[in-house]
Amino acid sequence: MEHKILRKEFSARPTDTGSIEGYASTWDREPDSYGDVVARGAFTETLKEWRDSGRAIPFLWAHEMHELGAYIGTAEADEDDRGLHFTATFDDTKDAQRVRQLYMDGRLAKFSFAYEVLESGDVTLEDGRKANELRKLRLYEISAVAV
């Protein structure tokens, strides 16, 4: 099984409550830098596991899983018709609030997520391109990133 960090970036938008909402992944069928596309429903089981565990999905700064200070909040996510929609809430720490302010100012607007591939396969897209379709993923975290 592979453990990856998504290289495709998706825009997030700050809310007036100091949280961020957006899409960590979409079903747009545009291959990322690895040549992967995400299948609709790829997060169904991992989201159920997160809900059943009673724990929130970690919201990190730049995938720094080994840095305690990089844990800047929590995220809640669900799949909808467009993709994996999430809302992240910031912790009340200096670093988390600095990242929140950068989003509120518009100086940050991207994010990424780390995951493990549990099931994938080759697929031909509508335009004839080949891609690796990620069909079942284990979500580890969603990260705020600069680029």
Side-chain angles (χ1 to χ4, degrees):
M1 295 190 202
E2 286 179 81
H3 175 188
K4 290 178 160 178
I5 294 173
L6 185 72
R7 299 290 183 216
K8 187 174 185 180
E9 296 175 351
F10 300 95
S11 293
R13 73 174 185 82
T15 69
D16 57 0
T17 62
S19 61
I20 293 175
E21 69 175 86
Y23 286 88
S25 181
T26 62
W27 323 129
D28 68 6
R29 310 304 279 176
E30 184 59 38
D32 66 11
S33 61
Y34 291 110
D36 295 335
V37 295
V38 179
R40 192 178 292 263
F43 298 97
T44 301
E45 287 184 31
T46 194
L47 292 176
K48 182 180 181 328
E49 289 170 358
W50 278 108
R51 280 190 293 277
D52 289 350
S53 76
R55 297 180 6 215
I57 299 164
F59 187 61
L60 305 181
W61 170 250
H63 304 294
E64 294 292 331
M65 293 178 223
H66 304 291
E67 286 293 324
L68 187 57
Y71 284 74
I72 59 172
T74 59
E76 294 181 15
D78 284 299
E79 292 176 305
D80 67 17
D81 288 339
R82 184 170 177 219
L84 180 64
H85 181 265
F86 82 97
T87 300
T89 303
F90 291 93
D91 291 341
D92 189 19
T93 64
K94 181 181 174 184
D95 289 340
Q97 290 304 306
R98 175 67 177 144
V99 173
R100 184 187 74 77
Q101 188 61 52
L102 292 170
Y103 275 102
M104 298 303 285
D105 291 348
R107 290 181 281 168
L108 286 179
K110 304 290 182 180
F111 53 91
S112 180
F113 66 95
Y115 60 97
E116 180 179 349
V117 177
L118 302 177
E119 185 181 318
S120 65
D122 294 333
V123 66
T124 301
L125 304 175
E126 286 183 22
D127 62 7
R129 289 181 294 167
K130 304 285 186 195
N132 180 48
E133 184 176 59
L134 305 177
R135 297 177 180 151
K136 185 176 175 183
L137 300 174
R138 177 171 291 129
L139 178 66
Y140 289 116
E141 51 91 356
I142 297 173
S143 278
V145 294
V147 292

